[in-house]
C-alpha cells in the first residue's frame, strides 16, 4: 500500500538511495534538506527546504502537513530529538531515525560477544541540553554521545512510535570527506603501510544500498525501539587493508604499533560487532560482506593516488579522508563484463 513518506536528509548517499527505493515501491515522497545539494528526482518528489537543526524553521515548515512515516537521517543530538518530538507528534504514524554502531563505543572492551540492542541501557543516559552539538570542531567527539542522547530522548518521551536503526560502519562508492574506503585504496595504490594497533579487533560493516533497504523495510513495519543493522561477516582495519590488496592484486603493507587506536579508520583497541538477531526475528535477512565488498573496492581505480595524510579515529559510520586523496581517488564504475570478471 502506498504511503506518504518524509525523508529528512534525502540528498546524501543513503538518503538518495532510500528515496529511489521508496519511489520504485510506489510511495509519495517528500525530501527535507537545506537545498544545498541537488537531487536527480525531478518532479517525482516534493522538496521542503529547511534547517533540520533549527526549531522554529522546522515548526514553520511542517505546521500544516502530516505523513504516514518520517525517516530522519539527521537526528544527531538530544536537541534534534526534542525538535522531532515537538514537530511530528500527532503528525506521523511512524518515525524512523538513523543511528549508528558508534552508540556502543563507550562499552568497547566490556564484553566479548557482539552487542545486541539491550547492551545499551539508555534509561541511565544523562542528557546535556547545554552542549553545542553543532560545533564543527567537536563534531567527531559529539557524534556518539549525540546519537545516544538523541535515542534516549526519543525513547524516554514515548510520544512518537519511534525506531532507531543502528547502522554498522557504512561503506559506499561515492568519494567524500567521509569515505574511509578511499583511504585504504590510497594506501595500497601508493604502497604505503597501514598503521594499526590491533589486527584482531574486528568490526561490522554495511553497504549504502543495504542500509537504505533496511531503513525502507523498517519504515513499513510495526515494531519500535532500537534495531541493529549490519551485513554478515566482520573485518578489522588490518583485514580490510589486506582485502583491498588482494582484490587489487597489489601488496598491502602494514605496521603494528603499540598504541590504543586512532591510527586509521576502523582501527580499534577491541572488537566492535553488532548482533542482528532482533532484525532476523522480525523477519529481515542481511546480505554478507563478501557479497559486495570486492566489487565496491574495484570501483576505486584512480590513475594516480595521492599519499593519504592523517585520518582521525573512526567515531561515526564513516571516517575523515584527506582532501588530496579524494581529489585523486575518484570511483571508476567498471562495465558489467569487467565487474563480473573482477568479482570472480
Amino acid at each position: 500500500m502506498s504511503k506518504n513518506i518524509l525523508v529528512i536528509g534525502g540528498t546524501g548517499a543513503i538518503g538518495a538511495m532510500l528515496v529511489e527505493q521508496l519511489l520504485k515501491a510506489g510511495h509519495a515522497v517528500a525530501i527535507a534538506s537545506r537545498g544545498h545539494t541537488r537531487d536527480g528526482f525531478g518532479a517525482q518528489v516534493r522538496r521542503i527546504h529547511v534547517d533540520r537543526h533549527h526549531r522554529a524553521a522546522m515548526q514553520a515548515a511542517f505546521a500544516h502537513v502530516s505523513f504516514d512515516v518520517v525517516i530522519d537521517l539527521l537526528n544527531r543530538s538530544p536537541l534534534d530529538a526534542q525538535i522531532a518530538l515537538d514537530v511530528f507528534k500527532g503528525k506521523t504514524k511512524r518515525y524512523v531515525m538513523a543511528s549508528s554502531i558508534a552508540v556502543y563505543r563507550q562499552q568497547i572492551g566490556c564484553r566479548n560477544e557482539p552487542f545486541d540492542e539491550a547492551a545499551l541501557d539508555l534509561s541511565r543516559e544523562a542528557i546535556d541540553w547545554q552542549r553545542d552539538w553543532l560545533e564543527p570542531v567537536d563534531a567527531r567527539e559529539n557524534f556518539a554521545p549525540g546519537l545516544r542522547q538523541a535515542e534516549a530522548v526519543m525513547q524516554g518521551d514515548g510520544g512518537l512510535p519511534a525506531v532507531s536503526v543502528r547502522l554498522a560502519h557504512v561503506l559506499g562508492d561515492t568519494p567524500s570527506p567521509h569515505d574511509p574506503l578511499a583511504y585504504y585504496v590510497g594506501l595500497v595504490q601508493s604502497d604505503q603501510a597501514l598503521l594499526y594497533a590491533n589486527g584482531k579487533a574486528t568490526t561490522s560493516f554495511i553497504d549504502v544500498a543495504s542500509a537504505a533497504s533496511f531503513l525502507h523495510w523498517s519504515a513499513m513495519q510495526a515494531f519500535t525501539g532500537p534495531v541493529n543493522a549490519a551485513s554478515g561477516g566482520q573485518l578489522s582495519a588490518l583485514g580490510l587493508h589486506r582485502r583491498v590488496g588482494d582484490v587489487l592484486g597489489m601488496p598491502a603493507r602494514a605496521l603494528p604499533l603499540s598504541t590504543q587506536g586512532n591510527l586509521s579508520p576502523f582501527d580499534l583497541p577491541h572488537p566492535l560487532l553488532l548482533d542482528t538477531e532482533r532484525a532476523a526475528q522480525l523477519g529481515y535477512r542481511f546480505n554478507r560482506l563478501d557479497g559486495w565488498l570486492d566489487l565496491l573496492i574495484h570501483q576505486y581505480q584512480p590513475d594516480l593516488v595521492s599519499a593519504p595524510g592523517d585520518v582521525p579515529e573512526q567515531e561515526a559510520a564513516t571516517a575523515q579522508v584527506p582532501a588530496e586523496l579524494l581529489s585523486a581517488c575518484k570511483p571508476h564504475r567498471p562495465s558489467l563484463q569487467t565487474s563480473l570478471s573482477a568479482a570472480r
Side-chain angles (χ1 to χ4, degrees):
M1 182 174 62
S2 176
K3 294 182 180 293
N4 182 24
I5 301 176
L6 171 66
V7 179
I8 302 176
T11 57
I14 295 176
M17 182 72 72
L18 172 60
V19 170
E20 182 178 341
Q21 293 180 9
L22 293 171
L23 290 172
K24 287 183 178 178
H27 300 294
V29 180
I31 297 175
S33 72
R34 290 176 297 176
H36 295 172
T37 303
R38 297 182 63 180
D39 64 77
F41 299 113
Q44 298 180 88
V45 301
R46 175 187 176 189
R47 294 170 186 82
I48 302 171
H49 293 164
V50 64
D51 183 345
R52 166 63 180 88
H53 310 295
H54 193 282
R55 180 184 304 276
M58 287 285 287
Q59 290 174 327
F62 300 105
H64 305 294
V65 293
S66 61
F67 301 92
D68 294 316
V69 182
V70 173
I71 305 175
D72 193 348
L73 306 181
L74 299 178
N75 187 345
R76 297 173 179 169
S77 76
L79 302 181
D80 290 341
Q82 191 59 55
I83 290 173
L85 291 166
D86 293 344
V87 171
F88 296 115
K89 274 184 183 179
K91 295 183 178 180
T92 186
K93 302 173 184 176
R94 187 163 180 78
Y95 176 90
V96 179
M97 81 171 263
S99 187
S100 167
I101 188 174
V103 298
Y104 298 108
R105 287 204 60 148
Q106 66 178 0
Q107 297 174 274
I108 287 181
C110 296
R111 56 189 289 159
N112 296 322
E113 64 272 14
F115 289 95
D116 60 17
E117 294 81 359
L120 183 62
D121 182 4
L122 291 175
S123 66
R124 301 179 180 181
E125 187 73 25
I127 307 301
D128 188 348
W129 297 107
Q130 304 305 316
R131 188 169 181 170
D132 185 357
W133 293 101
L134 297 179
E135 171 55 53
V137 175
D138 299 325
R140 183 164 61 91
E141 288 75 16
N142 284 346
F143 187 78
L147 284 176
R148 284 198 307 272
Q149 293 182 38
E151 286 196 38
V153 169
M154 299 301 298
Q155 292 182 24
D157 183 277
L160 282 175
V163 176
S164 54
V165 176
R166 295 171 179 170
L167 296 170
H169 298 297
V170 180
L171 294 180
D173 61 359
T174 304
S176 74
H178 304 284
D179 188 352
L181 189 56
Y183 173 81
Y184 282 92
V185 172
L187 284 179
V188 173
Q189 291 276 357
S190 57
D191 194 31
Q192 293 192 55
L194 171 76
L195 304 180
Y196 71 96
N198 185 351
K200 297 181 180 180
T202 56
T203 191
S204 299
F205 296 91
I206 193 169
D207 62 307
V208 168
S210 297
S213 294
F214 188 68
L215 286 164
H216 179 186
W217 179 83
S218 297
M220 301 299 113
Q221 307 306 306
F223 71 89
T224 58
V227 60
N228 292 336
S231 295
Q234 55 191 263
L235 284 173
S236 64
L238 178 60
L240 178 59
H241 184 59
R242 288 173 173 170
R243 184 68 164 267
V244 170
D246 290 343
V247 170
L248 298 183
M250 303 178 70
R253 298 192 299 113
L255 180 63
L257 296 179
S258 56
T259 184
Q260 290 298 309
N262 201 30
L263 301 174
S264 301
F266 316 123
D267 182 55
L268 303 168
H270 303 282
L272 176 57
L273 299 168
L274 292 182
D275 182 332
T276 59
E277 181 59 27
R278 186 184 187 210
Q281 291 177 353
L282 290 167
Y284 195 90
R285 294 294 184 273
F286 290 99
N287 60 10
R288 290 196 57 80
L289 184 65
D290 292 341
W292 54 265
L293 180 57
D294 291 3
L295 187 56
L296 190 60
I297 292 170
H298 270 289
Q299 293 180 357
Y300 291 83
Q301 296 294 331
D303 296 327
L304 178 64
V305 178
S306 300
D310 294 332
V311 175
E313 183 181 3
Q314 174 83 3
E315 283 291 347
T318 51
Q320 298 288 336
V321 180
E324 64 270 20
L325 172 61
L326 295 174
S327 63
C329 191
K330 303 294 185 183
H332 168 68
R333 294 184 180 276
S335 66
L336 178 60
Q337 182 177 359
T338 302
S339 299
L340 293 175
S341 298
R344 290 193 184 106

